Amino acid sequence: MDEKEAARTAVREFLSTRRDRISPGDAGLPPTGTRRRVKGLRREEVALLAGVSPEYYIRLERGQATGPSPAVVESIAAVLRLDDDERSHLDRLLAALTPEARKRHKPAVKDTVSPGIRTLLDSLAHLPAVVFNSRLDILAVNDLGRSLYEGMLDIGGTANAASFIFLEEYAARRMFPEWEHIADDTVAILRIEAGQRPDDPALIALVGQLSTRSQAFRTRWAAHDVKAHQSGAKTFRHPIIGEITLPFENLTVDAAGDQILTVFTPPPGSPENDAIQLLASWTAHSRTNHRTE
């Protein structure tokens, strides 16, 4: 499949999955009394609600209508109830239909961090911190981050969050009690990356491997859900501090926006902060013992 056809396929599959989520009743359409062959809105119904011709919407969904006006895209996004991440993703997919955009290849994703970022990581002595690239490879950790993610880092090779979650599922479910939620978010993040770098060989290889070996991944990938890196909270099950839910902040740390620094930030005085300080003491003690052996 060439780049143009791949871009058209991406638009078609994304928009069709968004249509599938919305029933005619949800959209305010009256019942037709006829048997429907689609579980969501028909293309013609999206066109009606968006105020465009059915022929135009069909061409747009097929990736054959380049350069739609912002007003038309906004109207369609409103009908399909796209959230901010989905709206941005649609803009990228539509932009990729133009020859100019397909010629502008983004730089390769970096697999190393700068010395300054390593210094920053080491300065965060009391908070776990991890740097991911946009493919979810772990590029660097501080001592507490290594202790928190030891289950993932001990697998060997380049640690990749998606590979661990779907190819080491038993270990991942032990590490992440809310595995289903983590799995959903992981695939949604990779979907955004695929929209930004559809020709990235490493990403293509990763998606191919996960699709071949994991039914759970294939099902989620086919849903075309998207989600940007966001702050939130993540629950871990750790052999030293037990089950713990930690808030985290995601910070972009390189000019290209391809590297994300995740810092876990339990409030001072909270039980979660006390648990992290216990983990820090255990980490320091373990490191000292290792050096003296």
Side-chain angles (χ1 to χ4, degrees):
M1 184 183 300
D2 62 22
E3 289 185 19
K4 183 177 182 180
E5 184 58 32
R8 287 178 171 176
T9 298
V11 171
R12 183 179 69 252
E13 292 180 347
F14 179 67
L15 288 176
S16 65
T17 56
R18 300 313 89 179
R19 282 194 294 110
D20 286 346
R21 299 183 308 180
I22 303 172
S23 71
D26 291 338
L29 294 174
T32 61
T34 59
R35 185 175 181 180
R36 302 178 63 88
R37 291 185 295 178
V38 296
K39 59 183 178 180
L41 293 176
R42 299 187 180 104
R43 295 183 182 91
E44 294 80 4
E45 291 168 334
V46 175
L48 172 67
L49 293 166
V52 300
S53 71
E55 294 78 14
Y56 182 81
Y57 179 77
I58 290 170
R59 288 179 55 235
L60 187 144
E61 186 171 301
R62 290 175 176 172
Q64 297 170 340
T66 57
S69 71
V72 167
V73 178
E74 190 62 40
S75 181
I76 291 170
V79 170
L80 298 178
R81 303 183 183 182
L82 303 188
D83 63 23
D84 290 343
D85 291 339
E86 292 171 327
R87 180 68 172 81
S88 297
H89 185 64
L90 177 59
D91 285 341
R92 287 189 293 268
L93 296 181
L94 292 174
L97 295 171
T98 63
E100 295 79 10
R102 291 197 297 275
K103 291 177 182 177
R104 293 195 298 268
H105 295 290
K106 296 188 72 172
V109 175
K110 298 177 182 178
D111 57 5
T112 58
V113 299
S114 69
I117 294 303
R118 290 193 177 276
T119 299
L120 175 61
L121 281 174
D122 292 339
S123 71
L124 298 170
H126 301 295
L127 297 173
V130 185
V131 178
F132 297 89
N133 66 15
S134 52
R135 289 191 301 266
L136 300 180
D137 296 327
I138 292 183
L139 304 184
V141 294
N142 65 0
D143 287 341
L144 262 176
R146 178 173 296 280
S147 295
L148 191 62
Y149 276 82
E150 64 177 356
M152 187 181 299
L153 295 168
D154 287 347
I155 296 298
T158 300
N160 177 274
S163 294
F164 176 73
I165 288 164
F166 292 103
L167 303 186
E168 305 289 343
E169 186 174 333
Y170 178 76
R173 285 182 179 273
R174 284 188 301 169
M175 181 172 172
F176 298 116
E178 298 177 350
W179 183 91
E180 298 286 346
H181 177 69
I182 295 289
D184 290 344
D185 285 353
T186 297
V187 177
I189 289 169
L190 288 181
R191 260 297 174 194
I192 284 189
E193 178 64 3
Q196 294 175 327
R197 286 189 173 83
D199 56 349
D200 177 9
L203 179 62
I204 292 171
L206 174 63
V207 171
Q209 180 189 47
L210 296 176
S211 297
T212 300
R213 297 177 57 187
S214 171
Q215 176 64 44
F217 179 85
R218 285 196 300 274
T219 300
R220 288 169 170 81
W221 190 251
H224 285 262
D225 292 333
V226 294
K227 181 178 180 180
H229 285 278
Q230 299 171 348
S231 301
K234 187 172 292 186
T235 301
F236 293 83
R237 185 182 294 115
H238 193 275
I240 303 301
I241 57 177
E243 188 166 315
I244 183 172
T245 298
L246 297 173
F248 65 87
E249 297 292 334
N250 280 331
L251 309 172
T252 302
V253 295
D254 69 330
D258 295 328
Q259 294 183 359
I260 300 295
L261 170 62
T262 298
V263 183
F264 293 91
T265 56
S270 66
E272 291 78 13
N273 186 270
D274 292 343
I276 288 300
Q277 301 321 307
L278 172 63
L279 182 61
S281 298
W282 178 86
T283 300
H285 179 72
S286 177
R287 187 170 62 250
T288 300
N289 286 346
H290 178 75
R291 288 173 178 172
T292 58
E293 288 178 356

